């Protein structure tokens, strides 16, 4: 036979959370139906209905939490902890400790920080406090609180030939209620700088002042990430700099509860240049037909060996080419990791968008050829083109081949 021991103190834990908004459930019946006026009597005695207009759903009511509920990643968990002396005599050396156990860690939460040492509770005396903790892990937490993700964040990276990286971040609300996004920022790593592309030319945001997301709705944010000058001209350092930064998201629920979510380090797709890398450093976007189109290129040796390069641009090998011009330049020796700039000139022969292709670099040492296609584009306009009074139908004409 086991002897039961009565506890000297009573411990109560209650989660502090805001109420939810609910609508009245209106159920009515005709007088000739079997329930007759039974539903009407029930509605008149329900606190969620308006007297005299019981069959109308007038607004919403606040409902106190019926269970411990869920909490979302990034929100602050608040709990009320109460210790009560339910005995007829004082209890000394009372100390309260609060730990939060997650799947991976055990966290000691600060409680009663204003009290020094163990306390003495007289009969019917209470010692209480409110503890707070920002949830940073997904999964079940002891205190029977299930932590789930409030937002689904999907990212896509686009590597540009100019070493810029474009990030598209899609944020979806996967909670059961609407949320308001207060801040969505990309905190860049030390190797990159970030330019948000979510504003109009006037400086106004493409979103409203407060971005509201209904359940399962999503919105996209766009950012341009540029490497810093120290690694811009260093292919090895640029190839190793894969960490872009972190997304920092702050939101509020429909009742004003604040939440914060920060992603792990976002990584760009690996850069594969091959032995040589060709980039256009200077080029106009438009040119008049008959005028020379001048542009500058940069070739970088991304291999582990020295090269002796000869550049050749030829238009004879491509039928229907939109430009003329033939150039052959000896670029000379090029050490690993180094680059050389050179200029090229072609003459457009037809209107519209033309693409410069068929640039060939030959390594004299290894007798190896490297070909680059579609590396620059230019829009060719007519001779009477005026940039200040540009009209597409007037100044740009396309020749449509006639069919027999």
């Amino acid at each position: 036979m086991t002897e039961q021991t009565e506890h000297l103190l009573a411990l109560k834990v209650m989660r502090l959370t805001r109420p939810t908004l609910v609508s009245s459930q209106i159920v009515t019946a005709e007088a000739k139906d079997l329930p007759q006026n039974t539903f009407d009597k029930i509605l008149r005695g329900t606190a969620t209905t308006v007297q005299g207009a019981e069959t109308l759903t007038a607004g919403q009511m606040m409902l106190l939490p019926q269970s411990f509920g869920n909490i979302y990643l990034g929100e602050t968990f608040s709990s009320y902890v109460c210790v009560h002396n339910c005995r007829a005599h004082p209890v000394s050396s009372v100390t309260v400790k609060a730990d939060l156990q997650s799947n991976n860690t055990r966290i000691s939460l600060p409680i009663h920080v204003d009290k020094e040492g163990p306390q003495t509770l007289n009969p019917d005396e209470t010692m209480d406090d409110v503890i707070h903790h920002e949830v940073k892990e997904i999964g079940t937490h002891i205190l029977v609180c299930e932590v789930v993700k409030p937002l689904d964040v999907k990212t896509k990276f686009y590597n540009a030939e100019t070493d810029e990286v474009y990030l598209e971040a899609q944020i979806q609300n996967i909670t059961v209620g609407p949320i308001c996004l207060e801040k969505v920022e990309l905190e860049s790593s030390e190797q990159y700088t970030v330019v948000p592309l979510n504003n109009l030319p006037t400086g106004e945001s493409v979103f409203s002042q407060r971005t509201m997301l209904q359940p399962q709705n999503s919105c996209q944010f766009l950012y341009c990430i540029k490497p810093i000058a120290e690694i811009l001209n260093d292919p090895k350092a640029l190839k190793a700099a894969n960490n872009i930064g972190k997304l920092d998201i702050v939101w509020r629920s429909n009742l004003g509860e604040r939440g914060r979510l920060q992603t792990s380090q976002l990584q760009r797709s690996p850069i594969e240049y091959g032995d040589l890398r060709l980039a256009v450093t200077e080029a106009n976007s438009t040119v008049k037909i008959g005028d020379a189109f001048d542009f500058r290129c940069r070739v970088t040796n991304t291999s582990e060996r020295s090269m002796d390069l000869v550049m050749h641009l030829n238009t004879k090998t491509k039928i229907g080419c939109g430009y003329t011009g033939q150039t052959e330049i000896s670029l000379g020796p090029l050490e690993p990791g180094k680059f050389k700039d050179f200029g090229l000139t072609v003459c457009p022969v037809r209107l519209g968008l033309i693409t410069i292709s068929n640039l060939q670099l030959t390594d004299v040492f290894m007798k190896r050829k490297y070909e680059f296609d579609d590396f620059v584009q230019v829009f060719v306009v007519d001779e009477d083109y005026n940039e200040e009074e540009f009209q597409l139908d007037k100044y740009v004409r396309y020749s449509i081949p006639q069919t027999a």
Side-chain angles (χ1 to χ4, degrees):
M1 179 176 177
T2 58
E3 182 179 349
Q4 296 183 350
T5 303
E6 294 186 1
H7 294 287
L8 300 178
L9 301 174
L11 175 65
K12 296 181 179 181
V13 179
M14 178 178 65
R15 180 186 173 189
L16 301 180
T17 183
R18 290 178 172 85
T20 56
L21 297 175
V22 296
S23 300
S24 303
Q25 299 295 325
I26 306 299
V27 180
T28 60
E30 298 290 340
K32 60 183 179 180
D33 292 338
L34 182 62
Q36 295 182 350
N37 62 346
T38 303
F39 291 148
D40 294 337
K41 292 181 179 179
I42 295 175
L43 288 176
R44 284 193 291 269
T46 303
T48 59
T49 57
V50 180
Q51 187 176 4
E54 290 83 2
T55 58
L56 299 178
T57 306
Q60 294 178 309
M61 305 290 291
M62 286 191 175
L63 178 67
L64 294 177
Q66 302 299 301
S67 62
F68 205 82
N70 294 333
I71 189 169
Y72 297 103
L73 187 69
E75 290 185 340
T76 299
F77 170 72
S78 300
S79 180
Y80 173 74
V81 180
C82 172
V83 178
H84 178 70
N85 181 8
C86 50
R87 302 271 72 87
H89 51 81
V91 179
S92 59
S93 301
V94 178
T95 302
V96 180
K97 294 182 180 180
D99 291 341
L100 185 64
Q101 176 70 53
S102 65
N103 292 335
N104 301 319
T105 58
R106 186 182 184 91
I107 303 170
S108 179
L109 303 179
I111 186 171
H112 298 148
V113 293
D114 57 336
K115 295 179 172 59
E116 297 181 359
Q119 303 294 311
T120 299
L121 290 182
N122 295 318
D124 291 329
E125 192 175 3
T126 299
M127 183 171 63
D128 56 2
D129 200 0
V130 177
I131 57 177
H132 304 279
H133 175 70
E134 182 180 351
V135 179
K136 300 180 180 179
E137 292 185 40
I138 298 174
T140 303
H141 287 53
I142 295 179
L143 288 178
V144 196
C145 178
E146 179 71 16
V147 180
V148 296
K149 289 198 304 182
L151 303 173
D152 184 23
V153 182
K154 298 179 181 178
T155 57
K156 294 181 181 179
F157 286 97
Y158 305 92
N159 289 328
E161 295 182 358
T162 55
D163 293 323
E164 296 176 346
V165 182
Y166 291 90
L167 169 65
E168 176 191 351
Q170 176 180 293
I171 301 175
Q172 182 182 20
N173 175 16
I174 56 177
T175 67
V176 296
I179 64 172
C180 173
L181 295 178
E182 288 193 343
K183 183 182 75 169
V184 180
E185 291 183 357
L186 178 61
E187 299 177 354
S188 63
S189 62
E190 298 178 353
Q191 300 160 319
Y192 291 91
T193 59
V194 175
V195 179
L197 302 179
N198 305 305
N199 295 327
L200 300 174
T202 58
E204 183 182 359
S205 175
V206 297
F207 304 102
S208 59
Q209 186 176 5
R210 289 290 182 266
T211 306
M212 292 294 299
L213 282 182
Q214 297 296 329
Q216 304 306 317
N217 283 5
S218 61
C219 61
Q220 287 79 26
F221 296 83
L222 186 63
Y223 301 91
C224 176
I225 303 108
K226 301 179 180 180
I228 60 176
E230 287 77 4
I231 67 171
L232 184 60
N233 297 322
D234 188 347
K236 290 184 178 179
L238 187 61
K239 189 174 183 179
N242 292 327
N243 289 336
I244 297 296
K246 300 178 180 180
L247 276 172
D248 190 18
I249 307 170
V250 178
W251 77 93
R252 287 188 183 273
S253 68
N254 58 341
L255 291 176
E257 293 176 297
R258 183 179 182 274
R260 181 171 179 263
L261 177 65
Q262 190 176 64
T263 65
S264 56
Q265 275 287 349
L266 302 177
Q267 292 190 334
R268 66 181 293 178
S269 303
I271 304 176
E272 298 296 338
Y273 293 134
D275 292 340
L276 289 176
R277 181 190 176 208
L278 181 69
V280 178
T281 56
E282 295 180 19
N284 293 328
S285 58
T286 59
V287 64
K288 293 182 179 180
I289 191 167
D291 291 349
F293 173 51
D294 300 322
F295 58 97
R296 294 190 63 80
C297 298
R298 172 175 294 176
V299 59
T300 305
N301 184 359
T302 55
S303 69
E304 301 294 334
R305 55 184 174 82
S306 299
M307 295 185 181
D308 188 5
L309 297 177
V310 175
M311 188 281 302
H312 182 72
L313 178 65
N314 189 7
T315 61
K316 295 181 180 179
T317 58
K318 205 165 186 179
I319 300 176
C321 185
Y323 57 93
T324 62
Q326 183 171 351
T327 307
E328 184 170 337
I329 305 174
S330 176
L331 300 178
L334 189 61
E335 299 298 324
K338 302 299 181 180
F339 65 87
K340 280 191 177 182
D341 294 336
F342 58 92
L344 290 173
T345 301
V346 297
C347 185
V349 295
R350 64 174 174 83
L351 300 176
L353 185 68
I354 64 172
T355 302
I356 313 299
S357 301
N358 197 32
L359 186 144
Q360 190 176 89
L361 291 170
T362 303
D363 181 12
V364 178
F365 291 154
M366 302 293 294
K367 305 298 181 182
R368 183 178 297 177
K369 295 181 179 181
Y370 303 89
E371 294 184 357
F372 300 89
D373 290 326
D374 303 338
F375 59 93
V376 64
Q377 293 179 327
V378 63
F379 193 68
V380 184
V381 296
D382 212 344
E383 296 177 352
D384 53 355
Y385 163 76
N386 186 348
E387 186 176 359
E388 296 180 355
E389 301 177 357
F390 177 66
Q391 298 178 14
L392 184 64
D393 297 334
K394 180 179 179 181
Y395 293 111
V396 180
R397 296 189 292 273
Y398 295 91
S399 58
I400 302 176
Q402 297 180 355
T403 57

